Structures are given as C-alpha cells and as structure tokens.
Amino acid sequence: MSHCTLHLALSVLVAVAASNVAAQVGKNAPHNSSALQHPKWEEPTSFLGLKFGEKVELPPCAQARNELCKVVVDNFYSYRNLPDLGFKYSLSSLNLDGVPYYFALTTEKANHFRLVAMFRERYGEPIKTEEVTVQTRGGARYTSNVRTWEGPKIKISLHELGAKVTESAIYVTDKDLAEKVKDRETGEAKSKAGAL
C-alpha cells in the first residue's frame, strides 16, 4: 500500500469533518479525567460481524440485495445493510491488504447515551473517561466526553462528539495491525526522502 493510497483513504474518511471541525483540543490535559482499575475484559474478535485479522470477504454493494456488503475506494471501505442496533448509523474501515485495522461508526448525537449503555453492558466500565474540547471553524467550542476501553490487542474510543459536532462516533482499532501500517508508512517515507 503506497503512501498516496493511505493518504487518499484517510482523506475520504475525514473529508466531511474537515469542512466542519477546525480543531480538537483533546491533546491538552483532560478537563475531567478518571483512570479506572480496569477489570479483565473479553476483547472482541469482531465488530458488527467483521472479524479482526481477516480479510473482508463481502460482496460489492452493487451486486448485493439485503446482505451486508461493501463499497471500496482503495483501502477505504464503507458498509451497507448493517446489523440493526435500533437506530441509524454508518460504518467504514481502513484496511491493510484487505484486513481492517480501523473502524469508524457514526450516528446522530442523540444516540450517544444508547451507545454508552450498550458498550458498558458488553465491556463494563471504560478504562478511561475524559472531557475534551472541540472547536468548529466558526469558533464555537463544545465539550465532548470520550470513553476508552483498551486491551492488549483492541482499543475502543467512544466520542460524544465525532468529526461533526452533530454526531457521536466510535473508533475501534486493531493495535498490532495499525502499528504495521505506521511502520510501513514510515519506511516508505524514508525510502522516498532522497527524491526531495
């Protein structure tokens, strides 16, 4: 996977966000953060029926009817005919050689506390809860709660405000595979540095 390919996929994933959200100041010290002694949890082996560590073997949506399917743009996939969670949502992923390493689920902000309840039921209390500030291009500031569940292999972040301040989002990362992507990107950048 080339640097350009990954850059394109990332650009597609955040294109809408770039037009609405100028900055997220979550890198600052959390306004209100609580780190919990996290109990042992059963890390997920899949997310919404898509297995970690395996290629996404789904039909293209142009050929599918009512079955789970994918729309492919390089290493960026979006999905249709998703499992019913009781509310509308969208799902996409970034993939390395067809294997997902990063999922993004977005839904209306009104569904945020339903997501919180669902994830607490499934995984228990988050390992970390913090407040971050997001700022729109117009200068408006909003406070967003971020809850994180994390184990040796999988990290789940539930954001009250996603890329749009009108949406909530869940980001699920296969940590080992994401690290491989980072290493590959670094290697490609170094190998092409001589062309500058």
Side-chain angles (χ1 to χ4, degrees), residues 10-81:
L10 286 169
S11 297
V12 173
L13 186 63
V14 300
V16 176
S19 64
N20 291 278
V21 180
Q24 178 164 328
V25 199
K27 296 296 184 180
N28 298 334
H31 175 68
N32 179 22
S33 177
S34 60
L36 304 177
Q37 183 64 36
H38 198 276
K40 290 184 178 180
W41 70 312
E42 182 182 347
E43 284 192 296
T45 57
S46 64
F47 186 61
L48 292 170
L50 301 169
K51 293 186 177 180
F52 296 113
E54 296 184 10
K55 286 188 175 183
V56 177
E57 301 290 352
L58 292 176
C61 290
Q63 301 175 8
R65 291 189 176 181
N66 297 318
E67 59 187 326
L68 183 60
C69 61
K70 63 185 178 183
V71 176
V72 178
V73 180
D74 293 324
N75 69 333
F76 173 83
Y77 297 176
S78 58
Y79 301 92
R80 304 288 185 272
N81 302 323

Side-chain angles (χ1 to χ4, degrees), residues 23-166:
Q24 178 164 328
V25 199
K27 296 296 184 180
N28 298 334
H31 175 68
N32 179 22
S33 177
S34 60
L36 304 177
Q37 183 64 36
H38 198 276
K40 290 184 178 180
W41 70 312
E42 182 182 347
E43 284 192 296
T45 57
S46 64
F47 186 61
L48 292 170
L50 301 169
K51 293 186 177 180
F52 296 113
E54 296 184 10
K55 286 188 175 183
V56 177
E57 301 290 352
L58 292 176
C61 290
Q63 301 175 8
R65 291 189 176 181
N66 297 318
E67 59 187 326
L68 183 60
C69 61
K70 63 185 178 183
V71 176
V72 178
V73 180
D74 293 324
N75 69 333
F76 173 83
Y77 297 176
S78 58
Y79 301 92
R80 304 288 185 272
N81 302 323
L82 294 159
D84 183 11
L85 296 181
F87 51 84
K88 292 183 179 180
Y89 65 97
S90 62
L91 180 70
S92 59
S93 69
L94 292 174
N95 311 275
L96 177 64
D97 300 327
V99 180
Y101 65 88
Y102 180 84
F103 288 103
L105 181 155
T106 58
T107 186
E108 293 181 357
K109 182 179 176 291
N111 296 320
H112 172 69
F113 288 106
R114 298 176 71 178
L115 289 172
V116 172
M118 292 169 66
F119 274 72
R120 278 179 168 160
E121 175 67 23
R122 176 65 177 83
Y123 301 116
E125 291 297 321
I127 191 172
K128 182 172 67 173
T129 300
E130 61 183 333
E131 287 185 353
V132 299
T133 300
V134 297
Q135 181 175 331
T136 66
R137 287 188 179 275
R141 288 175 173 266
Y142 300 88
T143 298
S144 173
N145 285 297
V146 180
R147 294 171 173 84
T148 302
W149 291 261
E150 185 170 4
K153 298 178 180 180
I154 304 298
K155 179 179 179 180
I156 302 172
S157 295
L158 173 52
H159 292 242
E160 181 182 8
L161 302 180
K164 294 181 179 181
V165 296
T166 57

